[in-house]
Amino acid sequence: MTVLILTCEEDVTADMVVVHLDATGVPVVRLDPADLTDGVALSGEYVHGRFRGHLSAGGRLVGISGLRSIWVRRPGTPAARAAAPSEWLTEESGQALYGMLRGSDARWMNHPDAARRARHKPWQLRLAQRCSLPVPATIVTTFPQAAREFAERYPDLVVKPVSGAHPQDPPRAVPTSRVAPDADFAAVAFGPTLLQRRVAKRADIRLTVVGETMLAARKAAGPDDEVDVRFARSASSWQPVDVPPRVATAVGEYLRAAELAYGAFDFAEDGDGTWWFLECNQSGQFGFIEVETGQPIARSIAAWLARPGPEDRSSANGAGSAVN
Amino acid sequence: MTVLILTCEEDVTADMVVVHLDATGVPVVRLDPADLTDGVALSGEYVHGRFRGHLSAGGRLVGISGLRSIWVRRPGTPAARAAAPSEWLTEESGQALYGMLRGSDARWMNHPDAARRARHKPWQLRLAQRCSLPVPATIVTTFPQAAREFAERYPDLVVKPVSGAHPQDPPRAVPTSRVAPDADFAAVAFGPTLLQRRVAKRADIRLTVVGETMLAARKAAGPDDEVDVRFARSASSWQPVDVPPRVATAVGEYLRAAELAYGAFDFAEDGDGTWWFLECNQSGQFGFIEVETGQPIARSIAAWLARPGPEDRSSANGAGSAVN
């Protein structure tokens, strides 16, 4: 049974995982959907109630029923590097590739549907609440008056995008910023705005979850005005830290409900030691954490991907139950 | 409890359903996400572990917890008609609107994730096989040699797109065509190609399923060379027809597995009366069938949407179980 990795060529994080997979002797096929149909080929037959499918990449052929797991890392746009690329070819190639893979019994990290849903910040906040994770008071609104009233109740606010990265080319992360006390909220009417009570934090927490393995890292906060750790120059570094049992239970519940096998949680730790949920990125980077902390994230991913596939397993085991 | 309909203004099919809903006195809010943030507004607060959200459209305000069902008909691109439209505003507006709605307990027809998955033709074919529906022998391939061998086994073939409509503006349906006996399959290498054994049909079948209601219509086939009913000028018309019990069981299983509350199935009926599965369109049009056959499709949709909402129901009932 083979591990299939969908990612671009220049993905050094995937390289880290492949090293571990190679060490265990598990067969790996790595391909970029962008290389359809030049370098990557596919074929699937539906005859007499049965399906037989194959993928070919780099001269290697693998049967779709022979896949034990599929890692959706950083796949390119289907057929983007074809000799004559077009929207139509991309659509046809994407439907053919993912349509066949969706019919396989392999475990996904992460399934495309779960990944897509997990990107919705308002949905994340609601799910975190339902799993009893502390969520800072938040409003998403196009009503200036609602924003004003919220700012009266919670005078110390940050503003951040609802969706994440700005879709320019290349995409640009939009930093979380503090809201000035005299802010004018009239412009809220022109676009949904996310305002959140600022957590007076003493540390940032990154909790990386791979299946049932939880690896948390902590970074002491810098000066008081530093809000978004991604844009901060901090003297402190990421250090491994234990996951409080209550958080571990809630996070496990979150990932099961979200049907995610991998998630990178960001928390803000306040003066009382409470971890406040900020977000869960289903495709969050982990290389920088692994390098600073020495935590075995890549090895954990390799171990998850290398687990016995559907044909090897005695009892059926779907993607959802894999995070139990 | 309110029914929310997401569709564009000029949707006469939605009008047909709204007439029935109005007759039953169930409150309806209809909005087009394209009208965010000019005409449509939203607001949601996450405070003390609770969520309170509202939508406003056409001067009407509705609470998100007060939604009994959501009908995703023909919604426009979020914020497409805003004063200053942009990719960024579309992304933010879509995440805000669908992110909040995804956290609601309302029943969906159809849920966006289920709808997205259901568009994959290779996945459809595999699911149909698994539900014991007869599927004509099919290949999806980029290997010219595989196409050639398939054509030797099944000399009477049609070719159709993997994905459906060509993404030009406006989108254009690509007709299913017969493959000439001397076809050269070399071009298969440049794009995934779907070849299917042609069913010698004596009729087209359209089976529209709304929840557990199944309404089938039959149209006698025209001359022998007519393949794609959408492009045919036929003298015959659509007539109501009974659903064979075996098909009803299989189709029910299909929709439950697909987590769809609505599906429009296309079958080809052969000389033996067997219904061959061609596809299931989760957003298939039904107005033309209703007009020709008098089948109460719009009324069935209205009845499904009008069912008691999560607050009215005694036992919790997710979107998946709604098609039982």
Side-chain angles (χ1 to χ4, degrees), chain B residues 212-223:
Chain B
E212 56 272 47
T213 304
M214 299 193 182
L215 297 163
R218 183 178 185 277
K219 186 180 198 169

Side-chain angles (χ1 to χ4, degrees), chain B:
Chain B
M1 301 290 283
T2 301
V3 173
L4 175 65
I5 302 179
L6 302 178
T7 199
C8 51
E9 207 171 316
E10 60 285 3
D11 182 353
V12 292
T13 307
D15 296 343
M16 291 164 65
V17 172
V18 170
V19 167
H20 289 288
L21 285 169
D22 285 349
T24 60
V26 172
V28 176
V29 167
R30 177 177 171 160
L31 68 84
D32 187 353
D35 288 326
L36 274 166
T37 54
D38 190 11
V40 171
L42 56 81
S43 199
E45 254 191 45
Y46 306 77
V47 174
H48 300 312
R50 293 199 159 176
F51 171 69
R52 278 180 54 229
H54 292 89
L55 294 174
S56 150
R60 294 193 53 188
L61 196 70
V62 60
I64 287 178
S65 65
L67 296 177
R68 67 172 76 201
S69 58
I70 303 170
W71 189 26
V72 186
R73 242 301 285 182
R74 294 270 188 273
T77 302
R81 273 196 295 276
S86 70
E87 265 188 68
W88 173 241
L89 182 58
T90 288
E91 185 65 22
E92 292 277 294
S93 300
Q95 294 262 350
L97 175 64
Y98 291 103
M100 280 187 203
L101 291 177
R102 279 163 177 270
S104 87
D105 294 318
R107 291 173 302 119
W108 293 78
M109 180 184 274
N110 285 318
H111 193 284
D113 294 331
R116 189 178 169 79
R117 178 177 56 186
R119 284 188 205 107
H120 292 81
K121 188 76 69 74
W123 177 86
Q124 285 187 24
L125 295 172
R126 185 72 192 112
L127 181 56
Q129 285 185 332
R130 284 179 164 160
C131 298
S132 308
L133 286 167
V135 174
T138 306
I139 190 171
V140 180
T141 193
T142 62
F143 289 95
Q145 188 54 32
R148 273 179 218 116
E149 286 171 14
F150 191 78
E152 279 166 26
R153 277 186 287 158
Y154 304 99
D156 191 3
L157 287 178
V158 294
V159 60
K160 50 172 104 172
V162 181
S163 59
H166 195 288
Q168 64 182 23
D169 191 24
R172 195 180 56 170
V174 178
T176 299
S177 315
R178 290 182 77 161
V179 176
D182 57 347
D184 171 16
F185 291 107
V188 163
F190 300 106
T193 301
L194 191 158
L195 302 167
Q196 191 166 67
R197 181 178 72 76
R198 187 178 75 93
V199 177
K201 71 181 175 193
R202 64 179 187 200
D204 290 291
I205 304 286
R206 163 60 71 95
L207 171 57
T208 308
V209 188
V210 181
E212 56 272 47
T213 304
M214 299 193 182
L215 297 163
R218 183 178 185 277
K219 186 180 198 169
D224 193 43
D225 61 345
E226 175 197 302
V227 171
D228 192 327
V229 68
R230 296 170 299 173
F231 296 85
R233 269 179 298 175
S234 169
S236 56
S237 63
W238 290 101
Q239 303 287 342
V241 66
D242 287 339
V243 184
R246 199 179 287 187
V247 174
T249 303
V251 159
E253 196 185 325
Y254 183 107
L255 290 174
R256 272 192 301 280
E259 297 175 272
L260 296 173
Y262 175 90
F265 290 80
D266 286 328
F267 295 94
E269 182 190 302
D270 69 13
D272 299 329
T274 298
W275 290 12
W276 291 89
F277 174 88
L278 298 180
E279 68 172 316
C280 173
N281 187 342
Q282 67 81 29
S283 70
Q285 285 291 7
F286 60 86
F288 68 102
I289 296 274
E290 173 147 355
V291 166
E292 283 204 32
T293 62
Q295 291 176 320
I297 304 177
R299 201 173 69 208
S300 301
I301 292 175
W304 190 94
L305 294 169
R307 278 185 203 167
E311 284 188 3
D312 308 333
R313 275 173 266 160
S314 51
S315 65
N317 213 359
S321 58
V323 291
N324 284 323

Side-chain angles (χ1 to χ4, degrees), chain A:
Chain A
M1 301 289 284
T2 301
V3 173
L4 175 65
I5 302 180
L6 302 178
T7 199
C8 51
E9 206 173 314
E10 60 282 8
D11 182 353
V12 293
T13 308
D15 295 343
M16 290 164 65
V17 173
V18 171
V19 167
H20 289 288
L21 285 170
D22 285 348
T24 60
V26 172
V28 176
V29 166
R30 177 176 172 159
L31 69 85
D32 187 351
D35 289 326
L36 275 165
T37 52
D38 189 11
V40 171
L42 56 80
S43 199
E45 253 192 44
Y46 306 77
V47 174
H48 301 311
R50 294 196 157 183
F51 171 70
R52 278 181 54 229
H54 292 89
L55 294 173
S56 148
R60 293 192 52 186
L61 196 71
V62 60
I64 287 179
S65 65
L67 296 178
R68 68 171 78 202
S69 58
I70 303 171
W71 188 26
V72 186
R73 242 301 282 182
R74 294 270 186 273
T77 301
R81 272 196 293 276
S86 71
E87 264 188 67
W88 173 241
L89 183 58
T90 288
E91 186 63 23
E92 291 278 293
S93 299
Q95 295 263 350
L97 176 64
Y98 290 104
M100 280 187 204
L101 291 177
R102 280 164 176 269
S104 87
D105 295 318
R107 291 174 302 118
W108 293 78
M109 180 183 275
N110 286 318
H111 193 283
D113 295 330
R116 188 177 169 82
R117 176 176 60 184
R119 286 186 202 107
H120 291 82
K121 189 77 68 74
W123 177 87
Q124 285 188 23
L125 295 172
R126 185 71 194 114
L127 181 57
Q129 285 184 332
R130 284 178 163 159
C131 298
S132 308
L133 286 167
V135 174
T138 306
I139 191 171
V140 179
T141 193
T142 63
F143 290 95
Q145 189 54 30
R148 276 179 215 115
E149 287 171 14
F150 191 78
E152 278 166 24
R153 277 186 286 157
Y154 304 99
D156 192 2
L157 288 178
V158 294
V159 59
K160 52 172 100 171
V162 180
S163 58
H166 195 290
Q168 63 183 22
D169 191 24
R172 193 180 57 170
V174 178
T176 300
S177 315
R178 290 182 77 160
V179 176
D182 58 349
D184 171 14
F185 291 107
V188 163
F190 300 105
T193 302
L194 192 158
L195 301 167
Q196 190 167 65
R197 181 178 72 75
R198 187 178 74 93
V199 177
K201 72 183 175 193
R202 66 180 186 197
D204 290 291
I205 304 287
R206 164 57 73 94
L207 170 57
T208 309
V209 187
V210 181
E212 55 270 46
T213 304
M214 299 193 183
L215 297 163
R218 184 180 184 275
K219 185 179 198 171
D224 192 44
D225 59 347
E226 174 197 304
V227 171
D228 191 328
V229 67
R230 295 169 300 172
F231 295 85
R233 270 180 297 176
S234 170
S236 56
S237 63
W238 290 101
Q239 302 287 342
V241 66
D242 287 339
V243 184
R246 197 178 292 187
V247 175
T249 302
V251 159
E253 197 183 327
Y254 183 106
L255 290 174
R256 271 191 302 279
E259 297 175 271
L260 294 174
Y262 176 90
F265 290 80
D266 286 326
F267 295 95
E269 182 189 302
D270 69 11
D272 298 330
T274 299
W275 289 12
W276 291 88
F277 174 87
L278 298 180
E279 69 172 315
C280 172
N281 187 342
Q282 67 81 29
S283 70
Q285 286 289 8
F286 61 84
F288 68 102
I289 297 275
E290 173 147 355
V291 167
E292 281 204 32
T293 62
Q295 289 175 321
I297 303 176
R299 202 173 67 208
S300 300
I301 293 174
W304 190 93
L305 294 170
R307 279 184 203 168
E311 285 187 4
D312 308 334
R313 278 174 264 158
S314 49
S315 65
N317 212 358
S321 59
V323 292
N324 283 323

